[in-house]
Amino acid sequence: REVKLYSEVHHLEKKNLPEETIARYQELKDRILTLGDVDVIPRKQYIGFKLKTNFVDVEIRGYFGLTMPPISV
């Protein structure tokens, strides 16, 4: 059985995504990574963000309906 490896590129290029969706994903990823030593784990259906366990799973779709307020550090 062949093991397939996935990447963020797989998710961001698989569908003809609007630039806004890609930009919002990148903004979300940047904010998540400020939380510490977070691993980005691309899977077949989603991109996981993991500390000890996955705490965020992101499934990329054509429309990214998320409003993110500013983060105060």
Side-chain angles (χ1 to χ4, degrees):
R1 182 176 154 187
E2 182 181 340
V3 175
K4 293 185 180 180
L5 299 177
Y6 297 94
S7 67
E8 287 179 282
V9 173
H10 161 80
H11 291 281
L12 298 174
E13 291 183 351
K14 70 180 181 178
K15 301 171 188 168
N16 199 11
L17 295 173
E19 288 297 319
E20 181 183 3
T21 299
I22 295 169
R24 290 206 174 193
Y25 166 75
Q26 190 60 50
E27 181 183 352
L28 175 63
K29 176 185 169 186
D30 292 345
R31 288 178 178 211
I32 291 170
L33 293 178
T34 66
L35 299 175
D37 190 24
V38 177
D39 293 321
V40 180
I41 313 289
R43 299 290 188 215
K44 182 177 181 179
Q45 299 295 326
Y46 64 90
I47 300 169
F49 293 88
K50 180 177 179 178
L51 288 168
K52 291 181 181 178
T53 62
N54 276 16
F55 66 96
V56 174
D57 294 333
V58 177
E59 183 178 342
I60 306 291
R61 297 180 181 217
Y63 173 74
F64 201 88
L66 176 65
T67 303
M68 294 182 282
I71 293 177
S72 57
V73 181

